[in-house]
Amino acid sequence: MESGGLLLWALPSALLLALLLQLSPRLRFRAKVLSYCALCLMASALTAPACLLWNGGRTVENMRLVCLICLCPVHRIIKNVVRSFKYLYGLRFDVKGLEHFQVEGPCVIVSNHQSVLDMMGLMEILPDRCVQIGKRELLYFGSVGLIMYLGGVIFINRKSTSNAKSVMSGVGQAMTTDNVKVWIYPEGTRNGNGDLLPFKKGAFHLAIQTQVPVIPVVYSSFTTFYNPEKNLFTSGRIRVEVLPPIHTSGMTATDVTELCDTCYTTMRETFFRLSGTARRVNGSTPHLAQ
Ligand SMILES: CCCCCCCCCCCCCCCCC(=O)SCCNC(=O)CCNC(=O)[C@H](O)C(C)(C)COP(=O)(O)OP(=O)(O)OC[C@H]1O[C@@H](n2cnc3c(N)ncnc32)[C@H](O)[C@@H]1OP(=O)(O)O
Ligand SMILES: CCCCCCCC/C=C\CCCCCCCC(=O)OC[C@@H](O)COP(=O)(O)O
């Protein structure tokens, strides 16, 4: 009797929802983004206890592809869980240049940042022993914040330059002592407008202070399949290129701006080439961070 009543309500409600989603592109877009957020929250909630139990807390080991000592799947769990999301959303990654990650010791990886979907692109190619720099607010995203914390993400307060700088100098010390790579989004925020934002200089200060190479990574534009302004979120193919390392040995603080500009110009050229878009006519001069 009760299950019959439930069916009586559930079926028309599901049909109505399906109809609404069909009719409203905005609603359909929002539902898809919401499903991604829910998936991340759910997957993090299920994965966090495994990471906690196995590794006993916050460690970069939680992000590793495979533990060569015990071949334990928990070590690769975060990466592999996120890598599987692409099948649900019909996304494919064509990756080139992975051999450039084969540098001895630590390095600073810089890449462009377009949307929350970047987490899939990040996990697609994330090298071993690599932590990311993230804004402090992400720590409060429920279970997603917890899984980031457990995976070793370093949180900075973007509103306080001095705080961000002191956290980054701590990162520099840890990089060399613990042989850790650091992944930074130098645009400092998401940007899906089909171009790169001016780069902040933190990543380049860090690379020069620690005398480690910078490895630029470029993802092609998402605008053909993901565009919030057009309520567009379909399947798509993303081209990814890991560029050759730029060595910083011998560079000093005075070289930061030049290093930043070189990376920006190279990454912007690569971005346009991978995205199949011409350099913009308006604002064709690369606008570099001051
Ligand atoms: C199982 C399922 C799981 C599902 C979930 C999956 C989750 C998986 C985890 C993945 C986690 C990924 C996390 C990604 C998060 C992405 C982000 O949050 S992006 C936003 C945060 N990141 C950044 O902001 C990094 C880039 N920013 C910088 O580098 C900035 O420079 C800064 C250090 C933050 C400071 O910024 P700001 O305050 O705006 O100041 P600036 O203008 O940049 O600099 C002012 C001044 O200071 C100089 N300077 C900067 N840094 C340094 C330094 N380290 N040392 C010395 N001096 C520095 C800079 O040069 C400027 O001086 P100048 O004279 O003008 O040159
Ligand atoms: C109990 C609290 C529940 C909170 C619910 C929050 C829902 C969000 C949950 C999941 C989203 C998954 C995304 C995973 C990682 C997102 C990383 C990211 O892309 O952060 C954005 C940041 O780089 C730049 O931020 P801004 O562009 O400056 O802004």
Side-chain angles (χ1 to χ4, degrees):
M1 196 59 181
E2 258 183 28
S3 66
L6 195 70
L7 204 69
L8 217 64
W9 278 107
L11 206 63
S13 309
L15 283 173
L16 187 69
L17 186 68
L19 188 74
L20 278 175
L21 289 179
Q22 210 54 44
L23 288 178
S24 162
R26 183 79 196 140
L27 210 63
R28 205 164 52 231
F29 174 81
R30 284 196 178 168
K32 212 162 167 184
V33 173
L34 207 68
S35 76
Y36 175 72
C37 292
L39 184 68
C40 288
L41 284 165
M42 213 170 56
S44 306
L46 293 174
T47 309
C51 293
L52 262 171
L53 285 174
W54 198 269
N55 284 323
R58 177 171 158 90
T59 160
V60 67
E61 294 299 311
N62 286 330
M63 290 286 187
R64 282 191 72 178
L65 176 63
V66 64
C67 170
L68 295 174
I69 302 162
C70 60
L71 295 175
C72 166
V74 172
H75 288 172
R76 54 185 162 172
I77 207 160
I78 299 176
K79 184 169 169 168
N80 283 352
V81 167
V82 178
R83 279 178 69 136
S84 67
F85 293 175
K86 64 176 179 278
Y87 300 110
L88 292 174
Y89 294 94
L91 300 178
R92 294 291 176 271
F93 293 90
D94 295 332
V95 184
K96 268 192 187 167
L98 270 182
E99 68 277 8
H100 295 307
F101 278 149
Q102 308 298 322
V103 289
E104 280 278 311
C107 64
V108 173
I109 300 166
V110 289
S111 83
N112 56 320
H113 190 15
Q114 303 182 65
S115 90
V116 284
L117 303 181
D118 281 329
M119 294 312 105
M120 286 185 266
L122 169 74
M123 294 301 169
E124 195 62 25
I125 60 168
L126 188 73
D128 278 354
R129 300 195 68 77
C130 181
V131 296
Q132 304 80 31
I133 304 268
K135 60 173 185 177
R136 193 176 58 163
E137 293 82 346
L138 293 172
L139 191 53
Y140 308 109
F141 277 9
S143 51
V144 172
L146 177 63
I147 204 79
M148 285 186 194
Y149 175 81
L150 292 174
V153 172
I154 294 147
F155 297 98
I156 53 165
N157 179 1
R158 289 185 301 184
K159 293 184 191 100
S160 159
T161 307
S162 60
N163 171 280
K165 279 201 235 178
S166 81
V167 172
M168 302 272 274
S169 75
V171 172
Q173 283 159 19
M175 276 170 81
T176 33
T177 49
D178 300 340
N179 182 22
V180 167
K181 296 179 172 63
V182 179
W183 189 297
I184 300 179
Y185 293 103
E187 291 170 281
T189 186
R190 286 165 291 167
N191 167 49
N193 75 356
D195 201 347
L196 301 190
L197 289 178
F199 283 178
K200 305 256 182 194
K201 291 185 188 151
F204 309 98
H205 277 288
L206 181 62
I208 289 181
Q209 279 158 11
T210 45
Q211 297 282 288
V212 300
V214 176
I215 304 185
V217 175
V218 184
Y219 295 85
S220 62
S221 175
F222 293 179
T223 47
T224 52
F225 66 88
Y226 180 85
N227 188 337
E229 276 167 28
K230 296 183 181 163
N231 298 315
L232 180 74
F233 188 176
T234 61
S235 54
R237 197 168 273 277
I238 299 133
R239 296 174 69 192
V240 190
E241 218 164 283
V242 181
L243 301 178
I246 301 171
H247 294 278
T248 62
S249 29
M251 288 189 187
T252 64
T254 54
D255 298 307
V256 166
T257 304
E258 197 185 331
L259 176 66
C260 176
D261 293 356
T262 306
C263 279
Y264 181 83
T265 310
T266 315
M267 286 175 69
R268 193 166 183 251
E269 295 290 348
T270 310
F271 178 73
F272 289 135
R273 175 169 55 76
L274 295 182
S275 311
T277 48
R279 184 185 271 243
R280 293 191 162 186
V281 181
N282 302 336
S284 57
T285 341
H287 45 304
L288 304 171
Q290 293 307 303

